Amino acid sequence: MIQVCRTVPTAAERIFAVLANGWSYASWVVGAAHIRAVDDGWPAVGTRVHHRVGPWPLHIEDRTVVRKMEPDRLLELDTYAGPLGVARVRLTLEPISNTTTRIRLGWMAVAGMARFLPKAALSPVLRLRNAETLHRVEDLAMHRQLPAR
């Protein structure tokens, strides 16, 4: 897995609240352009966010599926992007204190064309992309009003 991490000055619960809102997916996932639908129960295992990936008019209509979930700790997703393939994304939240959390984001191609690209070629681009993704998660967790649970 290609992995990045970020330490965020807030509780894991606030970060997970961002991840648990399927409608916010396009706000934090770099490349997601539009959310078409979110399955009831997101982020329960097997639920999906239906989204567009890429710029108009070249976008791809696809989905992201929850593989594993532990509230306030783990969200593992299979993200589909048409012929580009499927990536497995694992977001792990590690509380450092009551007010600080380390987020780890791991990414691995599991199907499609991306699987055949050399990791050395993918790694620099994905590290930058995924670091920006974590920066967006932090912004949402720190500055957005979150709904009551």
Side-chain angles (χ1 to χ4, degrees):
M1 276 197 149
I2 296 168
Q3 199 168 129
V4 296
C5 68
R6 183 175 188 91
T7 301
V8 179
T10 194
E13 295 81 15
R14 282 193 63 85
I15 297 166
F16 196 82
V18 170
L19 304 178
N21 177 351
W23 291 103
S24 78
Y25 187 84
S27 297
W28 56 270
V29 175
V30 175
H34 175 73
I35 304 302
R36 299 185 331 267
V38 177
D39 287 358
D40 289 340
W42 172 271
V45 172
T47 58
R48 298 164 296 178
V49 168
H50 305 268
H51 53 76
R52 287 188 189 129
V53 177
W56 181 90
L58 305 173
H59 63 258
I60 299 166
E61 303 226 348
D62 231 318
R63 67 201 179 282
T64 292
V65 181
V66 178
R67 289 182 40 82
K68 295 180 186 174
M69 189 273 294
E70 295 175 34
D72 303 332
R73 187 176 177 311
L74 171 76
L75 186 61
E76 186 173 286
L77 308 168
D78 277 350
T79 62
Y80 293 76
L84 297 174
V86 181
R88 178 132 324 125
V89 176
R90 180 180 300 136
L91 293 138
T92 306
L93 307 180
E94 303 168 13
I96 296 171
S97 71
N98 289 340
T99 59
T100 306
T101 305
R102 181 175 296 118
I103 312 170
R104 292 188 188 279
L105 187 158
W107 185 100
M108 177 176 61
V110 294
M113 294 185 319
R115 222 173 24 149
F116 301 106
L117 296 172
K119 186 175 178 182
L122 279 176
S123 186
V125 172
L126 284 171
R127 285 184 193 285
L128 288 171
R129 175 195 181 267
N130 292 343
E132 174 61 20
T133 291
L134 292 185
H135 180 77
R136 292 176 182 192
V137 170
E138 177 181 1
D139 281 349
L140 290 168
M142 297 292 297
H143 303 294
R144 294 266 174 109
Q145 182 71 17
L146 300 175
R149 283 207 211 188

